[in-house]
Amino acid sequence: MRKVFIYSSLLLGGLIASQALPALGPGVYEPLTHVIRLLTMVGLAFIMIHVGQEFDLDKSNLRQYGWDYVVAATAATFPWIFVTLYFVFVLAPPEFWGHFDYWKEALLQGRFAAPTSAGVLFSMLAAAGLGATWMFRKARILAIFDDLDTILLMVPLTVLLVGFRWQLAGVIALIVLLLWAGWKYLHRWHIPYSWPWVLGYSVVLALVSELIYLGTGYMDPNAAVHFEVLLPAFILGCMIAKPEHGLHEQDGLEGEQPGPDARNEQRVATLISGCFMVLVGLSMPALGGAGEAREAEQSVSAAAGGSPGWGLIALHVLAVTLLSNLGKMFPALCYRREASPRERLALAVGLFPRGEVGAGVLVVSLGYGISGTAMTVALLSLALNLLLTGLFILGVKRLLAGHRPEATPVSTQETRPPRQAPRPPRNIPVSEGGH
């Protein structure tokens, strides 16, 4: 578990540094946040391409994937609903409970609690030696689906805040196109997959994502599209043809990262995963939204939140963190035919880590001028969840301790008991000279 502790320390270091960066001044801080976001997307794309390479789709059992999406959607929706209701009915006085503008802002702010950080989760689970477990394979599907659900739901939330924009329809069309391409060309593209090539693909995807954001923001500052690199990177990995050997054969070994098993590939994957942890911490917005919030009139959330002391804010942070993780527990009630109660509980706990996608939601909120107590609580809750990531992974490992990966069949694949070799007939005559 040494690598898990190292990754946790890197997350913490990045998180602490993120709060010190605004001291550099707006002229340095704002360009630096763009560079950090771009590098974070590169790291996430690198991880997700390898995850996509490992992904197998059983086209004869699509009904199971429909259920997986339902489970992922609930695992993303319950935390969102719980946190939004807390922001409205606990943080705001009763006169704001029927205020539609406050509900719009609370719905957007509360969405930070929904998405699991796929990159952080996969890197941590692989570092813990859990890459060959049923829990890892199922978490891989659910984490990608709940991030996809977050991206899709950001469209109507943005419409609520700024009205309909054609760019938002373009996001839906692009998502549909990517999903179709992943289905049509699953593991059929024979292109290079060694780490320099994968890193190059990651840089291109991150640049395209950033250009979409800058281009749409230039055309309409109220509807800049944050198109996360997670989905296109995963789809590209799904489209790359699998090598005949050397890919993910050692996923059950502690410290192994997603990707080919060659030593140099593992070293690079480990290095990039470590850098990604630092970048996720650095991606955390500064408290108060330094360098990001617009110069605008006070938001409804700021007017409703009042000025509670830090002791009361700490209690709100604990409550919101508890509610957001409680909402992730629904998968523990599902998959009863596939996994033991301990595996299902491990799956739910494994979905706790939050990171770059949730931080992106808060950056969007700050960009719309939303501020106040709810925003402070959301930022601190996301930071607390990041700090607890290592403990979550330790809990998962403890729950799965002693469980053999092959003991539980995966729902998307048929499993049959191995055929036993026929027994030799008894009373075989011994050849001459034999004993």
Side-chain angles (χ1 to χ4, degrees), residues 131-177:
T133 60
W134 173 89
M135 178 268 162
F136 179 88
R137 293 191 291 269
K138 188 61 72 175
R140 178 182 59 206
I141 298 172
L142 298 185
I144 292 167
F145 278 169
D146 89 354
D147 281 349
L148 174 61
D149 183 74
T150 296
I151 295 170
L152 291 172
L153 195 58
M154 287 299 291
V155 174
L157 288 177
T158 304
V159 171
L160 273 178
L161 286 167
V162 301
F164 180 77
R165 299 290 194 277
W166 67 267
Q167 298 96 314
L168 303 177
V171 171
I172 301 296
L174 185 55
I175 290 174
V176 172
L177 179 62

Side-chain angles (χ1 to χ4, degrees), residues 116-238:
T116 296
S117 176
V120 172
L121 174 63
F122 300 149
S123 296
M124 286 289 204
L125 290 178
L130 301 175
T133 60
W134 173 89
M135 178 268 162
F136 179 88
R137 293 191 291 269
K138 188 61 72 175
R140 178 182 59 206
I141 298 172
L142 298 185
I144 292 167
F145 278 169
D146 89 354
D147 281 349
L148 174 61
D149 183 74
T150 296
I151 295 170
L152 291 172
L153 195 58
M154 287 299 291
V155 174
L157 288 177
T158 304
V159 171
L160 273 178
L161 286 167
V162 301
F164 180 77
R165 299 290 194 277
W166 67 267
Q167 298 96 314
L168 303 177
V171 171
I172 301 296
L174 185 55
I175 290 174
V176 172
L177 179 62
L178 286 170
L179 293 175
W180 174 83
W183 167 270
K184 179 74 173 178
Y185 300 103
L186 182 66
H187 299 309
R188 292 173 61 181
W189 278 17
H190 292 275
I191 60 176
Y193 54 83
S194 60
W195 75 261
W197 286 94
V198 173
L199 185 58
Y201 304 148
S202 303
V203 171
V204 171
L205 290 174
L207 288 174
V208 170
S209 178
E210 185 70 2
L211 287 174
I212 291 174
Y213 170 68
L214 295 175
T216 54
Y218 177 78
M219 289 184 288
D220 186 353
N222 290 322
V225 175
H226 288 264
F227 190 76
E228 298 294 339
V229 76
L230 180 145
L231 182 62
F234 174 73
I235 293 296
L236 176 59
C238 289

Side-chain angles (χ1 to χ4, degrees), residues 69-86 110-116 142 146 149 318-334 344-345 347-354 381 385 392:
Y69 187 83
V70 171
V71 174
T74 56
T77 301
F78 288 162
W80 174 48
I81 293 175
F82 293 167
V83 171
T84 299
L85 293 177
Y86 189 90
R111 194 63 187 167
F112 88 92
T116 296
L142 298 185
D146 89 354
D149 183 74
L318 291 175
V320 167
T321 303
L322 178 63
L323 285 173
S324 65
N325 289 331
L326 181 63
K328 288 286 185 182
M329 293 301 294
F330 180 73
L333 304 177
C334 309
R344 290 186 277 116
L345 180 58
L347 174 63
V349 175
L351 296 177
F352 284 3
R354 312 302 206 280
S381 177
N385 238 36
F392 297 152

